[in-house]
Amino acid sequence: MKPYQAPAWLPGGQAQTLWPLLIKPQPLKLRRERWTAPDGDFIDVDHLDGPPDAPWLVLFHGLEGSARSHYAISTAYACQAAGWRLALPHFRGCSGELNRRPRAYHSGDSAEIDWILRRLHTANHGRPLHAAGVSLGGNALLKWAGERGSTAAELVTGVAGMCAPLDLAACGHHLAHGFNRVYTQHFLKTLKAVSAARLRRFPGLFDEIRMHQASNLYQFDDAVTAPLHGFAGADDYWQRASAKPWLKSIAVPALAVNPTNDPFFPASHLPGAADVSPLVKLEQPAGGGHVGFVSDGFPGNLDWLPQRLLHFFLFETT
């Protein structure tokens, strides 16, 4: 499959990031299941059903994403057209209802990835799954694959991370400057609202004043994400949750697509061949923005990302 090339009428990483929000199609009707997590909490998983022997793709969403994110909707349509099944797990608190436990989710949540994949693997009668993640979900998935090494092949045919923030410190600090602060404020609006609701349920869980005062992701992660999930602070969280150090340990076919004009991730911090195992394919196109990948004539469509995933799992994981 040809590498991604942005249309001439949509120049620049910012425009390529934002345009999909204007052209995303209406979501398909999916079947929702509520699963009980190992700690008694719950997650909601949306399913595009199909024959039990059809290929099964699991797609992990990004920060504050859901099955209604544009990349999830476009992937659902592509899977429907190809006759594939699709599972869209929601990280805790992202399906429209606050989760039961104090914890939420984070960029290095490989333990959450693991039990979800194991449950889907069992439901698939022991056949390996195709596993992909977008942005935060891609980072967590690639980290999981690196941690599991050769045992990852027991559950998946391969893994794909699309626009994963592989170096969280580089991404977090980059989002605190210039126009990127627009994205930061968008994330903080929903993160703070959910965190405030969590604090009402669990008083004293973290410092409410610091949470409300946070003006960037570093301050929010230092005040909320880190203490909720057992990290010493934002620096500790960003270091330990980044997937980049684990890329050398991946022992299943893997794809990492990171446009060099992604406003979330400075190109100077992208991994090179020396940073990854021989099974990791790096694609770093000049265009695409952050999970943009708009293609074809005006106003464009969002087919490239799901088609890249299907092609990878059909032809590049054997």
Side-chain angles (χ1 to χ4, degrees), residues 54-292:
W56 204 358
L57 173 65
V58 53
L59 181 68
F60 295 97
H61 64 76
L63 180 63
E64 296 299 274
S66 72
R68 299 182 69 84
S69 297
H70 65 80
Y71 50 82
I73 296 171
S74 61
T75 300
Y77 276 104
C79 285
Q80 182 186 59
W84 284 34
R85 294 172 292 160
L86 175 66
L88 291 160
H90 290 84
F91 290 116
R92 303 187 193 205
C94 291
S95 61
E97 184 176 336
L98 189 67
N99 55 301
R100 301 185 188 116
R101 304 288 292 173
R103 64 154 291 170
Y105 69 101
H106 63 86
S107 295
D109 213 348
S110 51
E112 194 86 332
I113 297 286
D114 190 69
W115 78 262
I116 292 171
L117 289 177
R118 289 185 184 280
R119 177 157 176 168
L120 288 168
H121 180 259
T122 299
N124 204 30
H125 306 291
R127 295 188 296 268
L129 303 155
H130 306 311
V134 175
S135 196
L136 176 149
N139 183 82
L141 177 64
L142 292 172
K143 177 175 175 281
W144 171 85
E147 291 172 343
R148 298 306 182 273
S150 60
T151 63
E154 298 170 3
L155 302 181
V156 299
T157 61
V159 293
M162 313 299 282
C163 297
L166 304 170
D167 183 330
L168 294 176
C171 292
H173 290 307
H174 197 58
L175 283 167
H177 300 286
F179 184 85
N180 291 344
R181 288 176 292 184
V182 172
Y183 306 118
T184 296
Q185 295 310 309
H186 169 74
F187 289 135
L188 288 177
K189 181 178 179 179
T190 56
L191 287 168
K192 287 181 179 182
V194 172
S195 298
R198 182 169 285 110
L199 201 58
R200 288 192 292 271
R201 184 175 293 183
F202 303 101
L205 195 58
F206 49 81
D207 189 326
E208 183 174 12
I209 294 176
R210 289 186 64 209
M211 184 269 288
H212 284 298
Q213 289 178 340
S215 61
N216 55 50
L217 291 177
Y218 180 90
Q219 293 170 357
F220 180 86
D221 285 341
D222 202 53
V224 180
T225 311
L228 275 184
H229 302 103
F231 298 101
D235 292 316
D236 181 48
Y237 163 47
W238 285 359
Q239 179 182 1
R240 291 168 54 194
S242 293
K244 190 175 180 180
W246 291 100
L247 298 179
K248 282 187 176 181
S249 303
I250 292 178
V252 295
L255 174 67
V257 179
N258 290 97
T260 60
N261 72 344
D262 185 341
F264 288 29
F265 195 172
S268 59
H269 290 266
L270 289 173
D275 300 312
V276 303
S277 89
L279 288 174
V280 177
K281 181 174 185 178
L282 299 175
E283 289 188 4
Q284 296 169 358
H290 188 71
V291 202

Side-chain angles (χ1 to χ4, degrees), residues 1-7 9-10 12-13 15-21 23 70-71 74 133-135 161-164 255-262 283-296 299-309:
M1 183 171 173
K2 292 182 179 180
Y4 176 74
Q5 186 171 353
W9 55 265
L10 190 62
Q16 291 163 17
T17 299
L18 295 169
W19 190 254
L21 303 177
I23 64 169
H70 65 80
Y71 50 82
S74 61
V134 175
S135 196
M162 313 299 282
C163 297
L255 174 67
V257 179
N258 290 97
T260 60
N261 72 344
D262 185 341
E283 289 188 4
Q284 296 169 358
H290 188 71
V291 202
F293 303 116
V294 177
S295 56
D296 290 342
N301 63 57
L302 304 178
D303 290 346
W304 187 88
L305 183 151
Q307 293 303 325
R308 184 67 191 95
L309 291 177

